[in-house]
Amino acid sequence: MLGGSVFISVIRMVLSFSGTILLFMLMDEPKFSRKKTLALYVGVCLALLPLTCIWYRYSWSTFVRLGPISLFTVLSLVSVYVSSTRIYLTLYKLAFTYYLMAFFIIGGIEIATIFFDGNVWADIVARGILVAVLAYFINKYLRRFIHEFGIYLESELDRFSLAVLIISLFFAILFVLRPHNQEEMKYRLLQITAIFFLVGLLQIMVFRLYLHIGKESEYRTENQLMQMNHRLLERQLEFLEESVEAGRRIRHDARHHNIIIAEYARRGQNSELLKYLGEYEKNMDEGTAPVICGNIAVNNILSAYTGKAKKERIKVLLDIQVEKECGIRDIDLVTVLSNAYENAIYGCLEARKQAPERECTINLLVKRKSNKLVIYCSNTCRMETSFKNGYPKPEFTGGIGVSSIVKTAKKYGGEPDFKNDGGVFIFRLLMNVP
């Protein structure tokens, strides 16, 4: 440390606090507005400043050993409070910020020592320049990638690996900031450079690793969406083929009906003709596909899956109240319902493999309440279910569906809920209607 008066100490502390807050805010997503977050940080710094001056003035040696740790502990608590990310991700960003803080503090000291004979103002100016360079580099090149990295960390990184990363950063910070004895001073700059390089290289490797893992996960999700679209097309083709076949059957039967009607008319058998036409109308009504709801896209896809379920001897109970214009795009609504129905059929078939005597049932409910759309689907399933992060694993749902439901639900502020209630799989979703 280069020492100096209380005034110099205050300037250094303000610069260190400001630089740390700036770098952290560039990498983090606050839960408050930027203006409110900054005002909270400024208020805390102004409250700590007089205490810092008093401590430095009356116990310099104690302040050097304990002051920075105490002050930055308070700053860490404030940062955790204002951050909108999960606690472990916030701690990692804080650790990385303090690593950069150690870089500009040690950089300022070394520049002042080597080139300006330990001048305290050279140290302050060097720190300011290094903070500006780091902030520009993060804002220009790393901010977007750090945000993506945070998303991938939340979804992919295990807690043990994250703890190792945080501990490695703090060990590096403690090593470079600790006082060195006279014997170590000769190699101090080399040691610090090596530590910064190795720990920084570790962070870059992890950064690139989880970016790759996250991208690969996105590709898998996109592949699942493509497979889901393929399934939807197959269902639509089945529905179309059934319609074409029904049309052929109607045309074939119509010729026979015309012959019979003409024969009744030629013989003057009017009462028999009326009786025949009544039976014909009754048969036509029985063969007409039921209208499930007013939305054509939803009606068609549910009709197709209901037909498939009944072919598999699965009992289906539907309570669908979806208007033609319900406020949610047809493609999104069809995505959620078709995947839920597909997974329900798969769950029933798997339950039947486990216990052939079980009666399989699917209960699907869709209702709109004010500005909310409620979707509930329950189905017979295996007694045991494997979950990961609150979602059933792909092998339980046939490999496709859950990721599509989650991705679509988030577009409308919805969070799906899945659970196995003693051999009955329950899916619930509440979506905001724009």
Side-chain angles (χ1 to χ4, degrees), residues 267-283:
R267 294 183 181 184
Q269 298 173 328
N270 294 331
S271 59
E272 288 82 355
L273 175 60
L274 291 174
K275 180 181 177 182
Y276 176 79
L277 290 175
E279 292 177 352
Y280 177 69
E281 184 177 358
K282 183 180 178 181
N283 290 334

Side-chain angles (χ1 to χ4, degrees), residues 202-313:
L202 174 63
Q203 303 305 311
I204 292 173
M205 289 175 63
V206 172
F207 186 83
R208 290 180 61 85
L209 172 64
Y210 279 94
L211 278 180
H212 174 74
I213 292 175
K215 293 290 185 185
E216 185 178 349
S217 178
E218 284 189 349
Y219 293 148
R220 285 199 301 269
T221 301
E222 293 299 326
N223 183 49
Q224 289 181 354
L225 287 173
M226 290 175 63
Q227 293 185 49
M228 183 271 294
N229 289 330
H230 179 69
R231 286 189 176 187
L232 288 178
L233 287 173
E234 285 182 340
R235 298 293 170 263
Q236 292 290 357
L237 286 174
E238 289 176 4
F239 195 75
L240 182 60
E241 288 174 359
E242 290 176 0
S243 299
V244 172
E245 184 61 31
R248 289 174 180 170
R249 187 169 58 253
I250 290 172
R251 288 193 298 273
H252 179 269
D253 293 342
R255 287 195 295 271
H256 293 284
H257 294 310
N258 290 337
I259 293 172
I260 294 174
I261 291 170
E263 187 63 25
Y264 277 128
R266 190 164 42 250
R267 294 183 181 184
Q269 298 173 328
N270 294 331
S271 59
E272 288 82 355
L273 175 60
L274 291 174
K275 180 181 177 182
Y276 176 79
L277 290 175
E279 292 177 352
Y280 177 69
E281 184 177 358
K282 183 180 178 181
N283 290 334
M284 289 290 291
D285 291 338
E286 291 177 353
T288 303
V291 177
I292 297 175
C293 67
N295 186 293
I296 297 175
V298 174
N299 188 84
N300 288 344
I301 201 68
L302 292 183
S303 297
Y305 278 106
T306 301
K308 180 181 178 182
K310 290 181 177 179
K311 286 180 182 177
E312 298 291 346
R313 296 177 289 107

Side-chain angles (χ1 to χ4, degrees), residues 40-188:
L40 184 60
Y41 275 124
V42 171
V44 172
C45 292
L46 291 177
L48 292 176
L49 200 56
L51 299 175
T52 302
C53 296
I54 295 171
W55 192 354
Y56 185 86
R57 175 69 178 79
Y58 290 100
S59 183
W60 180 85
S61 59
T62 308
F63 179 81
V64 169
R65 287 185 289 108
L66 300 177
I69 294 177
S70 303
L71 295 174
F72 281 102
T73 298
V74 175
L75 184 62
S76 299
L77 294 175
V78 176
S79 300
V80 170
Y81 172 70
V82 301
S83 177
S84 63
T85 57
R86 295 183 183 180
I87 180 66
Y88 58 87
L89 185 56
T90 302
L91 291 176
Y92 173 75
K93 290 179 180 178
L94 272 173
F96 189 65
T97 302
Y98 291 147
Y99 169 78
L100 297 176
M101 178 204 71
F103 176 79
F104 70 72
I105 288 177
I106 296 299
I109 293 174
E110 294 301 328
I111 289 173
T113 302
I114 296 172
F115 299 104
F116 299 96
D117 197 26
N119 187 285
V120 292
W121 291 106
D123 171 31
I124 293 172
V125 172
R127 290 189 192 190
I129 294 173
L130 289 173
V131 168
V133 170
L134 288 173
Y136 174 80
F137 184 77
I138 290 174
N139 187 58
K140 184 75 174 177
Y141 300 104
L142 291 181
R143 192 173 184 178
R144 181 173 63 86
F145 293 106
I146 289 175
H147 177 68
E148 291 182 0
F149 179 58
I151 295 174
Y152 298 148
L153 278 181
E154 285 192 297
S155 59
E156 303 292 342
L157 187 64
D158 61 281
R159 305 296 183 268
F160 177 77
S161 300
L162 187 60
V164 170
L165 286 176
I166 293 174
I167 291 171
S168 69
L169 285 170
F170 277 118
F171 269 129
I173 295 167
L174 291 174
F175 179 83
V176 299
L177 293 181
R178 73 180 178 88
H180 290 70
N181 57 41
Q182 200 64 33
E183 182 64 28
E184 291 177 319
M185 289 302 290
K186 296 184 293 183
Y187 308 104
R188 180 171 181 269

